[in-house]
Every structure is written in C-alpha cells, then in structure tokens.
Amino acid sequence: MTIISFFRLSRWSPPRVLMTGFALIILIGGVLLSMPFASRDGTATAFIDALFTATSATCVTGLVTVDTGSHYSIAGQIIILILIQIGGLGFMTMATLFALVLRKRISLKERLILQEAMNQNSMEGIVRLIRKVVLYAFIIELVGAALFAIRWSLDMPLGQAIYFGIFHGVSMFNNAGFDLFGQFGTPYVSFTQYVNDPLVNIVTMLLIILGGIGFIVMSDLLEFRTLRRLSLHSKVVLSATGALIGVGTIVIFIFEFSNKGTLGSLGWGGKILASFYQSVSPRTAGPNTVDLASLRQATQFFIIILMFIGASPGSTGGGIKTTTFTTLIGAVIAMIRGKEDIVLFNYRLARERIFKALTITVLSLALVVFVTMVLSTTEDKAFIKILFETTSAFGTVGLSLGVTPELSMIGKIIICLTMFAGRLGPLTLAYALGPRTEKELYRHPEGKIIIG
C-alpha cells in the first residue's frame, strides 16, 4: 500500500490531494479538540471553536476564538502542537518521512504531489529536499526550544519552562503564532510582557525569519561555503526579506514613536526592538509584543500590506510570497524604463513566471476584497479591523485587533475558509477545484486594446 493510496492517486491531481489531505487533518483535529479531555475544565468545546482552532493550527495561522493557554488542557495543547508541525511542514512531508523510516518506495505520483506541496519547478531531488526539510526543521526547533527554556526557567518551574520552550519553538519556527501565556491570568496576551526582553525577542525573530525564508534558501546558505554561490531564488528571497523588514522597522518606528499606547512609553532600545519585532511578525508569524489595537491606523494599514506580501515560497508562511511581490515590482520598473524583460541579478525572468505572479496577486486580492466585503455585512466592527482580520487569515499570520473572539458563527466559518485558502494558495485551490483543461493546439490572432 502506498503512502496515500486512500486518495486514489492515479485519478486525483496533486492540488486536489493536497486540498483533501489538509481538510481531513483539520476535521480530525477539530473533532479531537472538541472532546472534553482537550479543555481545562473537562467540558466539551463548541465544535465551531474547536474546528476554528484546528484550522488555524493546521494552516499555521494563530488566530483563535478561545485562548490557547487558558482554555485547552495539556492534551489539547499537544494536539494543537502536532497540527502546527504537520501544517507547517506539510502532511505530504510528514507522510514521506514515515515512508522513508519504513524504507518504502516513493512513487512517481507521490513525487508529483511533493513537488506541488513544496512549490518546486521540477521533481529532481525532491526526496532529498524532504530529508533536508525535516532535518533543518527539527534542529532549528530544538535550538529555539532550548533557548526559550533557559530564559523562561527564570520565570517558572524548569519542567514548565521546557514545555513552554518546545511549544513556542515549534510554533514560532512554523510561523503559527500560538502562545500559552494566556494561562497566567490575561487571555490573548501574546508576548507583550516581553517587549523589552532581548533574548525572547531575538530568538523569536530568528525562528520566524528562518521559517519564513524557506527550506531551499536555508539549504543554499548552508552549502554556500562549499559552492560559493547562491541561486537566483535565494538572492531574491534574501534581498526582499531584508528590504521588507528594514523598511517595516523604519516605518513602524516613525509612525509609533510618540504613541503612548505602543512605543511612546519605551526607551530608545525598547522602541527599536519593538519596531523590529513588529516588522518581522507580520511576515505570517503572529505573536506581538505591543497592543496592536493601540497602533495608529496608518501603522495598522502598513502591517496589512506586510501581511499580504507574507513569507517566501517553500516556507512555513503564507501571503502572496516575496518572490511574487519582487516580480511585480520588477515588471513595473521594466515598464517604466521601456524594457521588454524583467531582469533580476542579471537573469531574465520567463514570461510564465510573470503571468503566474500576476495571477496569484489578482486572485489573492480578489479573495481578500470579497471576504472583507462579506464580513463587513456580518460583523459589526470597524472596516480597518475587518480588513486586518481578513488579511491576517489569508496570509496565515495570526495577528488580530481583537476581532477573532467576537466573530459570529458565519464570521468564524468565513475566516476558517480564508485561512484554508491562504495556506494552500489561491492558485493551488483553483487547480484543485477547477476542471482539468487540455492544452490548446491553436492560437488566436493577435488583437490590440488601449491600456492606461
């Protein structure tokens, strides 16, 4: 029996297998989290809230309708942790890992699904990449967990510090944003009590960035000493990531410098650290160290833009991805300069890459606009809060202005579907739901329309 013969791989396309696989994992997680043993008080959690949490964990988002630390028991938190790990690495990656451990052969169809799941252009070396993904993930999570545990052992018993370290190490690296600090009296508190703590901030940011740049880039960086070169993909990802974080830090610092509800009450070091952190966190991670509801609207809107762009391909994050954003910026610059080609680091991009970037952006923008319009009619909240919530769900970020716990039943379902679409990607979802199309054997005559 093959890894996922249940899905009848010979008939199902890779996007459809991915969509169904994630949906089944979410459903199983929702059922388990709704059980009495998963809550602290031993009562059953409303299924919609359990399903919402399972969706958020599997889609590595972090939005929650009930506080993770104060509502769920240890068993419930471990279920959430497993869902985060499966969702972050991908269920096909985990299935392949078990197959490799059991020395089973990876079929051609399964390699095609892995190619789709990892957003690769070819199947070449895909199983080798999976081995690297699992190894890198576990090592980084382990180091992050150890550093967290050392720091939190000063605030809590050692056993609890180790548990907190493991949970938050996995959560932060997978860009999930789930935290357990609500169990200490203030629900939905996130990392706000550590706004001035350098170790917690730096470790968290490093985990978020490493999880967000993608495993291909990490592999390139580790092999740089041997190969002495980086691929075009890695150069674009690292440049875009650095630029977005740098610009984000400066913008947030300027907009919030005098805001007493956020940076105004902090010293210079705290202001810089908090600005840097709030610039990294919207890259699909979720935890925050300042009260987001107290941010100025200009800052909130800027964070919406960062959340929409998101992380990088082949990573644990969401959004339209940094490479898509860079391609669009390159297209604009090329058009303004009268150039026919988009050139990045002395390499010309193929037209199909440009069309794909444009398609992903338009589909993503259409999804965010549609969901925002619908939620504006079902939820009695300010427009900026609804747009923020929608973009956070689509980008699998997990940041919220306090709207999530107050969503209506319809609102929760809509946000669940948005998180699901954001994790799979609008294009993959369209391929999964759409009919199979055959390649056309002819081309229509060229026509001309006036643009602009």
Side-chain angles (χ1 to χ4, degrees):
M1 188 174 182
T2 55
I3 297 174
I4 39 177
S5 57
F6 174 78
F7 293 114
R8 298 178 184 176
L9 297 180
S10 59
R11 299 182 184 179
W12 284 26
S13 65
R16 189 164 296 179
V17 171
L18 289 176
M19 182 188 73
T20 308
F22 270 108
L24 281 176
I25 291 168
I26 289 170
L27 182 60
I28 293 170
V31 171
L32 291 175
L33 289 175
S34 68
M35 298 293 182
F37 71 83
S39 66
R40 282 187 177 273
D41 58 10
T43 60
T45 303
F47 183 69
I48 183 62
D49 291 321
L51 185 67
F52 192 101
T53 302
T55 305
S56 184
T58 307
C59 298
V60 289
T61 304
L63 292 174
V64 289
T65 55
V66 292
D67 182 70
T68 308
S70 60
H71 179 82
Y72 289 106
S73 64
I74 298 296
Q77 293 168 9
I78 291 174
I79 292 170
I80 291 171
L81 191 64
I82 293 171
L83 292 175
I84 290 172
Q85 190 71 86
I86 294 173
L89 298 183
F91 83 94
M92 274 302 301
T93 301
M94 301 302 291
T96 303
L97 172 63
F98 286 119
L100 293 173
V101 170
L102 297 174
R103 298 181 181 277
K104 289 192 174 183
R105 179 177 171 273
I106 311 299
S107 70
L108 176 63
K109 191 71 175 184
E110 290 159 355
R111 291 170 191 264
L112 286 170
I113 298 171
L114 286 170
Q115 177 189 337
E116 181 71 27
M118 299 303 294
N119 202 11
Q120 296 296 291
N121 295 325
S122 72
M123 290 187 297
E124 183 180 356
I126 192 69
V127 176
R128 186 168 62 253
L129 175 62
I130 295 301
R131 289 195 183 98
K132 290 181 179 180
V133 165
V134 175
L135 179 63
Y136 296 163
F138 287 164
I139 289 176
I140 294 170
E141 288 171 354
L142 183 62
V143 173
L147 293 173
F148 277 143
I150 292 170
R151 168 60 185 87
W152 288 329
S153 64
L154 303 176
D155 301 336
M156 58 187 75
L158 181 60
Q160 188 178 30
I162 293 173
Y163 173 66
F164 267 51
I166 294 171
F167 186 96
H168 293 93
V170 174
S171 179
M172 296 307 118
F173 174 72
N174 287 286
N175 282 208
F178 279 81
D179 72 273
L180 302 178
F181 291 100
Q183 71 185 59
F184 296 125
T186 307
Y188 314 108
V189 70
S190 194
F191 282 12
T192 52
Q193 68 269 42
Y194 294 106
V195 63
N196 282 309
D197 192 304
L199 180 60
V200 172
N201 278 262
I202 292 172
V203 172
T204 303
M205 287 189 289
L206 285 175
L207 288 173
I208 292 170
I209 292 171
L210 288 173
I213 60 176
F215 297 104
I216 303 166
V217 178
M218 276 193 281
S219 178
D220 268 7
L221 290 173
L222 290 172
E223 295 175 357
F224 180 75
R225 294 181 66 180
T226 304
L227 301 178
R228 307 303 299 175
R229 63 181 177 83
L230 291 174
S231 66
L232 174 62
H233 172 81
S234 295
K235 290 178 181 178
V236 171
V237 167
L238 293 173
S239 300
T241 300
L244 288 170
I245 292 175
V247 171
T249 301
I250 295 171
V251 170
I252 293 171
F253 182 84
I254 293 173
F255 284 179
E256 298 298 317
F257 183 84
S258 60
N259 186 351
K260 293 182 179 180
T262 54
L263 305 186
S265 59
L266 303 175
W268 275 92
K271 284 182 170 67
I272 295 172
L273 190 61
S275 299
F276 191 21
Y277 188 97
Q278 261 56 235
S279 178
V280 171
S281 186
R283 312 303 309 288
T284 83
N288 54 284
T289 58
V290 300
D291 181 17
L292 298 180
S294 299
L295 293 172
R296 294 190 168 102
Q297 283 198 5
T299 311
Q300 292 173 351
F301 187 73
F302 180 74
I303 289 177
I304 288 172
I305 297 172
L306 292 180
M307 292 192 296
F308 185 76
I309 296 171
S312 302
S315 72
T316 58
I320 63 171
K321 303 295 191 293
T322 53
T323 49
T324 302
F325 176 71
T326 303
T327 301
L328 294 178
I329 295 298
V332 172
I333 293 173
M335 178 61 69
I336 291 174
R337 291 182 175 179
K339 305 288 186 180
E340 290 188 2
D341 297 323
I342 299 175
V343 179
L344 301 174
F345 295 98
N346 298 319
Y347 283 94
R348 173 177 54 85
L349 295 187
R351 288 192 177 274
E352 64 179 49
R353 300 289 97 190
I354 303 168
F355 281 128
K356 186 175 182 179
L358 183 60
T359 302
I360 289 172
T361 305
V362 171
L363 287 176
S364 301
L365 189 61
L367 176 64
V368 170
V369 169
F370 175 75
V371 172
T372 302
M373 289 173 62
V374 174
L375 288 178
S376 295
T377 62
T378 63
E379 314 300 316
D380 186 20
K381 300 292 180 184
F383 178 78
I384 187 72
K385 291 185 175 182
I386 292 175
L387 179 60
F388 195 100
E389 190 84 6
T390 302
T391 311
S392 179
F394 163 74
T396 68
V397 181
L399 295 176
S400 177
L401 300 181
V403 173
T404 317
E406 301 173 3
L407 288 171
S408 64
M409 176 73 77
I410 296 175
K412 291 176 182 178
I413 294 172
I414 292 172
I415 291 295
C416 278
L417 294 173
T418 306
M419 289 189 289
F420 187 71
R423 179 64 183 95
L424 283 176
L427 199 57
T428 300
L429 200 60
Y431 287 153
L433 297 176
R436 289 188 176 184
T437 56
E438 300 294 334
K439 187 174 182 180
E440 292 182 344
L441 301 178
Y442 60 91
R443 297 181 70 186
H444 293 279
E446 182 179 318
K448 293 184 180 180
I449 60 174
I450 299 174
I451 302 294

